[in-house]
């Protein structure tokens, strides 16, 4: 093949090398706009795993790179006068300029033609496209090729919030990758510092836009900007200066990170590589890694005997998921630093844990593998804050709300069963909830218990009133007598989402016959085929509020330990809160304070009817997934604050299900960021669910301070004894089992210990 590579960075050079290794007859030319020894970064971070990939692909260049590495094992967090170090992280760094020179040397040895100081424009790019079999756009995040053919790649560029400047220093940071957080007269500013050769370290300075503007970095020259950074970080620089290699840039050289994503990475004989196709934030140090590993994959596909179009399509398919995983982790890390001031008041142990796990690539047990002593001390700190002297994992720490004390932080999430008869719970409910209480969770939620027959979602949904009191009392008496679990009644009204079929008969579809009248904040049907609800008037509001109060009184008599008001997922109370479902023009519609008026009125009535010694929570939708048209995470903070001020002991943070037009973004623990924000901006206890299915998820959410209680739904459908089995999996022999199951506990722990020993 005759190949033109535009961009002489690590990705472009490594692709040239990889192609030549597979077929020396390839005719490859690299075009680079800068000089051979120009570079505008300082160090490149690579992991042991990445170096293993490089060794399999080209042992020669891998050895050349490895001989020039600076290694470190620790991550050090410095916040003001305090510091904390965690080990076992296994990174290595190399100067970016050194890496480029080594790859240039290897490429020349393989007969790759390197052309430097060569500018490209649209005409030149088109000429190369016409005269070559393949044009590889490895020309970085500001790719000229991607801009030239913008309509073919579907690029989206998200300019992130924070500002940063990439500097270097002769100060030594060779003992650890160091994060330094300094509080200044204009807010917090921080540095990412790491060694990359014997005498030079990268020193990236970052801050939020308010601090950036307050210091005037936007108007300073580079020299003045650097001098100011030297003053801010003087006690960490040991008299050494900060250096720039961006003298070609006017102004202070501070920039904002552009997050690049592309729908397509190729068309005709043009393909994007590295940062041209997707960018990973510098805070996880994976940009060069991604580009070079993608170079290997592209070379493999192009030398597999396929048509060019098929090879390029297979390359994108093979790499896109892995790149997405890394860039998603990078997005998590980016957002953590954008919101870092939310966490800076946390205890340094929890702050460090939050930083280490910010990308979600590193979990709780992975940290134990890296530094068991540090994590053990962190777990002891967490337990002591919970009033325990144990060294067990965070999920097994007690938790108290008012007079209710939970044995652990695992919660069985509300899950509709659709097995009630005429609003009455049946033996199914008794067995279902009793089994999960026996399974070790600290708290068990009921599904939404409806305040009236007309408030049901389906004919199979249970109610809570005098007619159901005995059945719920029987269940609660059993749970309290036979288990350590506490039980919460979630109380709500379906609103416009009522009068529908059982889930397995057509979820959200209206009943074929026997429909009952619906009410909501506004006369808007949920689906086009749904019944149009009546917009509630004041008489309706008074009647429904009285039903909620009666439900609370029944819950108390039935022996529930806690109640939750359901104000999420588009049900009746949620329909007032969301602007998507509340189009009222009276005092209950309009701005958020008005939309919250009726839900707060109902909450106050419920709280007044519930014993002061017992806790009450509220479930909210923190995101309607409807852009600015619905409730946003910013709104959710205000919603949570209003409920907390009214007496809510904790906020159960959920999202979505307000409208079928929603566009949710799912992923592991996808609702944890909403909980995190509410908990740490308001100082309010939170509960969270949402694609949480491993003990590691639970422990990392708790330890990082993203929630106080963690709800699991589907895992508890699959395994009522999830908590007991998680304890066995984690080697936690302190977990109590029901007395009749003691033999099973001993055997499970013995088998787990045997399997561990054999492994």
């Amino acid at each position: 093949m005759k190949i033109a590579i535009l961009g002489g960075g690590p990705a472009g050079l490594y692709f040239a090398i990889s192609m030549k290794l597979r077929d020396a007859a390839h005719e490859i030319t690299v075009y680079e706009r800068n000089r051979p020894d120009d570079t505008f970064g300082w160090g490149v971070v690579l992991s042991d795993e990445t170096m293993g990939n490089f060794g399999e692909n080209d042992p020669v260049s891998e050895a050349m790179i490895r001989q020039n590495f600076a290694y470190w094992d620790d991550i050090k967090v410095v916040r003001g006068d305090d510091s904390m170090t965690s080990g076992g992280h296994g990174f290595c760094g190399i100067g970016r300029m050194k890496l480029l020179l080594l790859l240039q040397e290897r490429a020349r040895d393989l007969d790759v033609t390197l052309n430097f100081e060569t500018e490209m424009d649209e005409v030149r790019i088109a000429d190369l496209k016409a005269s070559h079999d393949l044009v590889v756009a490895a020309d970085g995040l500001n790719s000229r090729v991607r801009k030239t053919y913008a309509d073919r790649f579907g690029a989206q560029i998200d300019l992130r919030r924070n500002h940063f400047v990439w500097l270097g220093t002769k100060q030594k940071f060779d003992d650890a990758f160091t994060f330094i957080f300094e509080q200044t007269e204009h807010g917090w500013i921080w540095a990412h510092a790491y060694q990359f050769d014997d005498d030079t370290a990268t020193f990236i300075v970052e801050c939020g836009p308010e601090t950036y503007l307050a210091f005037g970095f936007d108007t300073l020259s580079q020299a003045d900007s650097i001098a100011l950074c030297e003053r801010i970080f003087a006690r960490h620089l040991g008299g050494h200066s900060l250096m720039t290699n961006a003298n070609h840039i006017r102004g202070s050289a501070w920039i904002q990170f552009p997050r690049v994503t592309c729908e397509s990475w190729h068309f005709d004989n043009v393909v994007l590589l590295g940062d041209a196709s997707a960018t990973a934030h510098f805070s996880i140090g994976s940009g060069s890694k991604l580009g070079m590993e993608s170079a290997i994959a592209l070379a493999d596909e192009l030398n597999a005997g396929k048509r060019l179009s098929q090879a390029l399509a297979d390359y994108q398919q093979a790499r896109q998921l892995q790149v997405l995983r890394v860039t998603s982790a990078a997005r998590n890390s980016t957002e953590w630093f954008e919101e870092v001031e939310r966490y800076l008041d946390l205890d340094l142990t929890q702050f460090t844990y939050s930083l280490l796990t910010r990308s979600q690539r590193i979990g709780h047990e992975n940290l134990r593998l890296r530094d068991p002593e540090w994590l053990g001390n962190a777990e002891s700190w967490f337990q002591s804050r919970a009033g325990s002297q144990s060294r067990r994992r965070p999920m097994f720490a007690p938790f108290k709300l008012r007079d209710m004390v939970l044995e652990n932080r695992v919660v069985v999430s509300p899950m509709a069963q659709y097995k009630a008869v005429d609003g009455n719970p049946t033996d199914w409910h008794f067995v279902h909830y009793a089994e999960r209480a026996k399974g070790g969770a600290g708290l068990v939620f009921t599904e939404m218990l409806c305040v009236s027959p007309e408030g049901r979602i389906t004919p199979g949904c249970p109610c809570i009133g005098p007619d159901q009191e005995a059945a719920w009392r029987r269940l609660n008496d059993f749970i309290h007598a036979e288990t350590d679990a506490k039980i919460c009644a979630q109380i709500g009204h379906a609103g416009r989402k009522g009068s529908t079929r059982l889930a397995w008969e057509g979820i959200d579809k209206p009943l074929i016959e026997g429909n009952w009248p619906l009410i909501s904040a506004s006369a808007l049907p949920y689906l086009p085929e749904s019944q149009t609800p009546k917009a509630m008037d004041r008489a309706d509001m008074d009647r429904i509020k009285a039903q909620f109060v009666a439900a609370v009184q029944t819950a108390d008599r039935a022996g529930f330990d806690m109640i939750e008001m359901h104000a999420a997922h588009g049900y009746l109370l949620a329909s007032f809160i969301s602007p998507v479902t509340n189009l009222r023009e009276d005092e209950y519609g309009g701005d958020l304070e008005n939309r919250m008026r009726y839900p707060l009125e109902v909450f106050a009535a419920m709280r007044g009817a519930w014993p002061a010694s017992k806790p009450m929570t509220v479930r909210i939708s923190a995101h309607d997934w409807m852009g600015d048209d619905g409730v946003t995470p910013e709104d959710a903070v205000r919603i949570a604050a209003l409920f907390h001020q009214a007496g809510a002991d904790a906020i159960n943070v959920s999202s979505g299900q307000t409208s079928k037009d929603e566009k949710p973004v799912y992923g592991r623990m996808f609702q944890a960021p909403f909980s995190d924000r509410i908990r740490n901006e308001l100082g309010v206890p939170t509960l969270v669910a949402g694609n949480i299915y491993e003990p590691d998820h639970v422990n990392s959410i708790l330890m990082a301070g993203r929630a106080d209680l963690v709800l699991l739904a589907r895992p508890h459908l699959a395994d009522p004894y999830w908590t007991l089995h998680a304890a066995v999996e984690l080697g936690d022999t302190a977990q109590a089992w029901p007395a009749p199951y003691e033999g099973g506990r001993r055997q499970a722990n013995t088998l787990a210990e045997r399997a561990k020993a054999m492994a």
Side-chain angles (χ1 to χ4, degrees), residues 328-349:
S328 294
R331 181 193 62 220
N332 295 336
S333 179
T334 305
E335 292 175 354
W336 189 90
F337 280 104
E338 289 173 345
E339 304 294 344
V340 70
E341 296 195 33
R342 183 188 300 163
Y343 311 113
L344 282 161
D345 289 333
L346 295 176
D347 183 276
L348 187 58
T349 297

Side-chain angles (χ1 to χ4, degrees), residues 328-393:
S328 294
R331 181 193 62 220
N332 295 336
S333 179
T334 305
E335 292 175 354
W336 189 90
F337 280 104
E338 289 173 345
E339 304 294 344
V340 70
E341 296 195 33
R342 183 188 300 163
Y343 311 113
L344 282 161
D345 289 333
L346 295 176
D347 183 276
L348 187 58
T349 297
Q350 193 162 50
F351 178 74
T352 300
Y353 185 98
S354 181
L355 185 152
L356 293 174
T357 59
R358 67 192 182 279
S359 72
Q360 296 186 9
R361 290 197 301 177
I362 297 175
H364 196 78
E365 296 308 314
N366 186 271
L367 276 179
R368 193 181 311 280
L369 291 174
R370 293 167 185 248
D371 193 338
E373 181 180 0
W374 183 88
L375 186 63
N377 290 334
E379 290 173 332
S380 293
W381 169 86
F382 189 92
Q383 289 282 352
S384 68
R385 290 287 296 269
S388 169
Q389 299 304 309
S390 83
R391 292 178 63 90
R392 300 175 73 193
R393 288 161 175 82

Side-chain angles (χ1 to χ4, degrees), residues 36-98:
D37 56 353
D38 280 344
T39 183
F40 307 113
W42 288 91
V44 173
V45 179
L46 299 169
S47 67
D48 289 337
E49 177 187 8
T50 299
M51 289 307 297
N53 295 335
F54 292 170
E56 293 179 7
N57 184 60
D58 180 24
V60 175
S61 61
E62 189 269 349
M64 295 166 68
I65 295 169
R66 193 177 288 278
Q67 289 168 8
N68 290 274
F69 266 152
Y71 289 91
W72 68 90
D73 198 52
D74 293 347
I75 291 179
K76 184 177 183 180
V77 178
V78 181
R79 186 182 65 186
D81 295 328
D82 300 322
S83 66
M84 179 169 284
T85 300
S86 166
H89 299 284
F91 287 102
C92 40
I94 184 172
R96 181 175 173 85
M97 185 181 297
K98 185 65 176 179

Side-chain angles (χ1 to χ4, degrees), residues 494 496-497 507-508 520 524-528 530 568-571 574-575 577-583 621 623-627 629-631 655-666:
R496 71 175 189 151
K497 296 177 72 176
I507 192 166
D508 293 326
S520 188
L524 299 171
Y526 183 57
L527 299 174
S530 297
H569 300 168
Y571 295 125
S575 74
I577 298 173
S578 174
V580 173
T581 49
N582 185 340
L583 304 183
S621 286
H623 201 326
D624 281 338
W625 302 108
M626 298 282 288
D629 293 334
V631 169
S655 68
Q657 302 180 50
T658 299
S659 167
K660 286 296 187 181
D661 295 328
E662 66 181 5
K663 295 182 179 177
V665 179
Y666 297 125

Side-chain angles (χ1 to χ4, degrees), residues 119-176:
E119 290 288 346
M120 287 288 160
D121 57 22
E122 293 183 11
V123 174
R124 187 73 189 278
I125 293 169
D127 288 343
L128 291 173
K129 182 177 183 298
S131 60
H132 287 69
D133 298 310
L134 181 67
V135 175
V136 179
D139 48 349
L141 58 87
N142 294 312
S143 170
R144 187 62 179 269
V145 175
R146 193 185 64 231
K147 292 176 182 177
T148 298
Y149 302 109
D151 60 323
R152 307 303 295 268
F153 295 117
Q156 294 183 338
I157 301 176
D158 175 20
L159 197 63
R160 300 306 306 178
R161 178 176 183 270
N162 283 359
H163 296 258
F164 68 96
V165 60
W166 207 297
L167 303 172
T169 181
K170 296 298 182 181
Q171 167 67 318
K172 292 281 190 178
F173 289 96
D174 53 2
D175 58 339

Side-chain angles (χ1 to χ4, degrees), residues 146 150-156 260-266 272 277 316 320:
R146 193 185 64 231
D151 60 323
R152 307 303 295 268
F153 295 117
Q156 294 183 338
V260 176
T261 55
C262 294
E263 292 179 13
S264 178
W265 293 1
H266 62 92
L272 303 178
S277 58
Q316 179 171 341
Q320 200 165 35

Side-chain angles (χ1 to χ4, degrees), residues 4-13 15 31-32 135-141 143 145 271-276:
I5 301 174
L6 279 58
L13 290 170
F15 172 70
Y31 298 92
E32 168 58 47
V135 175
V136 179
D139 48 349
L141 58 87
S143 170
V145 175
V271 63
L272 303 178
L273 180 65
D275 284 347

